[in-house]
Amino acid sequence: MNNFVFKNSTELVFGKAVEEQVGEYTAEYGSKVLLHYGGGSIKKTGLYDRIIKSLQENKVDYVELGGVQANPRLSLVQEGIKLCHEENVDFILAVGGGSVIDSAKTIAVGAKYDGNVWDCFIGKGSITDMIPLGVVLTIPAAGSETSDSAVITNEEGWLKRPIGHPMMRPVFALLNPELTYTLPDYQTACGVSDMLAHTMERYFTNTPNVDLTDRLCEATMRSIIEQGPKVLENPKDYAARAEIMLAGTVAHNNSLDMGRETDWASHDIEHELSGIYDLAHGAGLSIVFPAWMKYVYKVNKPRFEQFAYRVFGIEPQFDGSDASIIKGIKALENFYVSMGLPIRLEDADIRDDRYEEMAKKATNNDTRTLGHFKPLDSKDIHEIYKLCAMSKKW
Ligand code: NZQ
Ligand code: ZN
């Protein structure tokens, strides 16, 4: 096990009706709030009205900025920064999913940054201060409600890039599983795929002697795989929605990576897809992750055998073959298919070959490699995109 520091400062408030406390929580931190939200789901569900009521009851003054798109854009972030300056905003309240939260985090950072906030995404500037922010979560997926990072798409060149800093964790996150009842099946499934991917990015490591976190990851994956279909079967199954919502947070709050090197190549490879094709991040991951596995498993076969056995119950063969590993990867693909997710590019209607361009973009024109399990250069990444298009008979 590696040395590590663990600190997650977000106050997590979980359960039925917790969003009704939003005014009280917000009043603790700010007097002029930017209410940030997405394309309208919170208005349709009535959540918007309840949030406003709670803010008003607690005498919190607010301005608002809606319209965050999935794969959130830099241009709206710039608008938000301007609004914060004009209105002397001292707190940001994000009501929505990962896209809204990431947009809010970047506005919060940008409002205190002297220059173009994009600098912080490309290594030209660093984060030294930010406006604090809180969250009411409406989709369990990205884990941004307690994570220390944000991912934004710059329309100039369609570059989707992350930033991170410990101070970027929200000060509070209110999670009511009932708010997720209205999610379309596809969004629920994309969320499940993302949280599974966050666990796998941590699980596939070469760090030795990490038994406890291995088993925490395996338990998280098994729970997601068991509860995901239940949520699709009955979208108002509170127990299953609660398990999935908690799993989304646990998968990305850094408790699963204590003492282990993590990978993140699949995420970086996926970000090129959702950046260019505006695909849902979870749908990109259900295509990329199996392809990544096929490309890298030979680096550490025992780890992949362990994954197949402990997550999907596939017995190791002990015959020197890769049979159980391949069965494990296929079991993962079958799970994605059962959730209605794409597992090949053509399933997501991506038929053109921009693999070389995406591989170059992902490596910043061959100036970096991706991942740690097997560091990947642009040629490797090109091969992985090809595997994303391979026959399903594999
Ligand atoms: O915009 P509205 O109308 O609200 O609709 C949203 C959106 O269309 C809808 N939705 C959300 N809650 C709903 C709902 N519809 C009905 N009922 C509800 N309760 O769902 C759609 C997707 O929302 P989005 O916020 O885009 O989903 P998600 O939470 O999956 O976020 C994805 C973004 O997070 C980034 C991804 O790259 C992607 O851009 N990530 C952020 C991370 C982080 N900051 O730590 C880590 C992740 O790996 C990820 O990269
Ligand atoms: Zn993700």
Side-chain angles (χ1 to χ4, degrees), residues 38-42 45 68 70-72 97-100 102 105 138-139 141-144 147 149-151 160 179-180 182-184 187 194 198 252 264 267 271 281:
S41 72
I42 69 161
T45 60
V68 180
N71 302 312
S99 297
V100 172
D102 287 2
K105 284 176 171 175
T138 63
I139 171 171
S144 187
S147 82
S149 56
V151 192
K160 187 174 179 184
L179 296 182
T180 68
T182 52
L183 278 168
Q187 291 299 343
D194 195 14
H198 293 165
H252 204 38
W264 299 103
H267 263 69
H271 285 159
H281 172 61

Side-chain angles (χ1 to χ4, degrees), residues 151-173:
V151 192
I152 291 292
T153 300
N154 186 342
E155 297 95 319
E156 224 172 273
W158 297 104
L159 284 174
K160 187 174 179 184
R161 291 288 178 268
I163 41 167
H165 192 284
M167 76 167 79
M168 284 174 64
R169 295 191 203 271
V171 291
F172 65 77

Side-chain angles (χ1 to χ4, degrees), residues 345-364:
L345 290 169
E346 64 171 5
D347 300 338
D349 267 339
I350 298 173
R351 292 167 206 283
D352 55 344
D353 170 352
R354 293 174 71 177
Y355 310 151
E356 188 169 353
E357 174 196 343
M358 290 192 290
K360 290 274 178 204
K361 274 174 85 180
T363 54
N364 291 340

Side-chain angles (χ1 to χ4, degrees), residues 83-377:
L83 197 56
C84 286
H85 291 156
E86 285 165 2
E87 299 283 344
N88 288 321
V89 164
D90 58 8
F91 189 76
I92 302 185
L93 180 62
V95 183
S99 297
V100 172
I101 304 167
D102 287 2
S103 182
K105 284 176 171 175
T106 312
I107 293 170
V109 167
K112 295 280 185 178
Y113 179 74
D114 187 14
N116 183 344
V117 70
W118 189 251
D119 292 351
C120 303
F121 288 79
I122 53 172
K124 280 194 188 163
S126 45
I127 301 166
T128 52
D129 196 6
M130 70 181 279
I131 298 175
L133 85 154
V135 168
V136 176
L137 187 68
T138 63
I139 171 171
S144 187
E145 65 277 8
T146 69
S147 82
D148 60 2
S149 56
V151 192
I152 291 292
T153 300
N154 186 342
E155 297 95 319
E156 224 172 273
W158 297 104
L159 284 174
K160 187 174 179 184
R161 291 288 178 268
I163 41 167
H165 192 284
M167 76 167 79
M168 284 174 64
R169 295 191 203 271
V171 291
F172 65 77
L174 308 181
L175 273 63
N176 175 359
E178 287 178 325
L179 296 182
T180 68
Y181 289 173
T182 52
L183 278 168
D185 284 356
Y186 183 65
Q187 291 299 343
T188 296
C190 287
V192 161
S193 164
D194 195 14
M195 61 186 77
L196 196 55
H198 293 165
T199 314
M200 294 191 294
E201 296 281 17
R202 293 168 162 100
Y203 186 73
F204 290 103
T205 185
N206 297 312
T207 309
N209 305 319
V210 284
D211 185 56
L212 179 68
T213 42
D214 265 6
R215 290 180 191 274
L216 291 172
C217 288
E218 287 153 3
T220 307
M221 290 188 273
R222 289 182 69 126
S223 180
I224 294 168
I225 290 164
E226 198 173 306
Q227 303 295 331
K230 288 188 192 172
V231 167
L232 289 192
E233 209 174 291
N234 177 9
K236 293 193 176 168
D237 179 342
Y238 181 84
R241 284 284 189 193
E243 297 289 356
I244 286 293
M245 201 165 205
L246 180 58
T249 299
V250 167
H252 204 38
N253 70 0
N254 297 108
S255 56
L256 300 183
D257 54 60
M258 286 187 275
R260 45 202 295 146
E261 186 174 56
T262 56
D263 192 68
W264 299 103
S266 299
H267 263 69
D268 287 331
I269 295 169
E270 191 296 309
H271 285 159
E272 298 310 324
L273 288 179
S274 47
I276 291 180
Y277 297 101
D278 205 15
L279 183 68
H281 172 61
L285 287 167
S286 60
I287 297 169
V288 169
F289 232 109
W292 174 84
M293 288 173 153
K294 289 164 201 168
Y295 194 74
V296 305
Y297 76 81
K298 291 194 172 110
V299 169
N300 187 341
K301 289 191 192 180
R303 179 143 291 275
F304 273 88
E305 277 168 347
Q306 182 178 304
F307 169 77
Y309 180 55
R310 292 198 192 160
V311 179
F312 288 107
I314 295 160
E315 299 277 349
Q317 308 282 304
F318 301 115
D319 62 358
S321 81
D322 301 343
S324 70
I325 294 174
I326 289 164
K327 279 187 192 160
I329 300 172
K330 280 193 171 159
L332 177 67
E333 288 186 342
N334 290 341
F335 170 71
Y336 289 140
V337 171
S338 77
M339 294 293 292
L341 290 161
I343 56 167
R344 296 291 185 274
L345 290 169
E346 64 171 5
D347 300 338
D349 267 339
I350 298 173
R351 292 167 206 283
D352 55 344
D353 170 352
R354 293 174 71 177
Y355 310 151
E356 188 169 353
E357 174 196 343
M358 290 192 290
K360 290 274 178 204
K361 274 174 85 180
T363 54
N364 291 340
N365 281 323
D366 293 312
T367 56
R368 65 167 185 171
T369 55
L370 301 186
H372 298 102
F373 189 80
K374 173 179 166 64
L376 303 168
D377 63 20

